[in-house]
Amino acid sequence: MTTPQVFRQGTKVVVFANFMEVCLEMHRQPEHVMTFLLAELRTIGSLDKQQRLVVKGRFATINFKVIFQRYMSEYFTCNVCNGTDTILSMEETQLRCEQCGSERFVAAI
Ligand SMILES: [Zn+2]
């Protein structure tokens, strides 16, 4: 997996530079990932011209990464085999693992 590149820009925003790349790699809708991150961080944000996710707030980048990890364990990684070959259903409420075949429900964001 590509490591998220997250850094603070000035004192008011945090930038997730390779956001799109990470979403593509996980095969997740950028809107889904973004909605989760913003809800967890209780802030607002948007994509800039270079498709980087720019989030308002002065939180530490480590917190941002912890929340991203939470997204991965909730909506990406299989909790049975730890596999990453998973599919999120169209309604984004069910996660299916292509490696071990297990399925589980996930919370709507
Ligand atoms: Zn699995």
Side-chain angles (χ1 to χ4, degrees), residues 17-63:
N18 58 348
F19 176 69
M20 277 303 194
E21 191 186 339
V22 169
C23 290
L24 279 172
E25 201 171 291
M26 294 194 297
H27 303 286
R28 292 298 177 269
Q29 294 295 329
E31 294 77 21
H32 188 250
V33 183
M34 182 163 101
T35 306
F36 178 86
L37 293 176
L38 297 180
E40 290 287 308
L41 292 162
R42 296 191 182 85
T43 186
I44 53 169
S46 56
L47 295 179
D48 69 5
K49 280 180 203 150
Q50 292 131 43
Q51 304 275 284
R52 304 179 312 168
L53 177 61
V54 179
V55 174
K56 293 209 168 141
R58 19 177 101 223
F59 27 77
T61 55
I62 185 72
N63 293 344

Side-chain angles (χ1 to χ4, degrees), residues 78 80-83 97 99-102:
C78 172
V80 175
C81 74
N82 251 334
C97 177
Q99 267 162 262
C100 74
S102 78

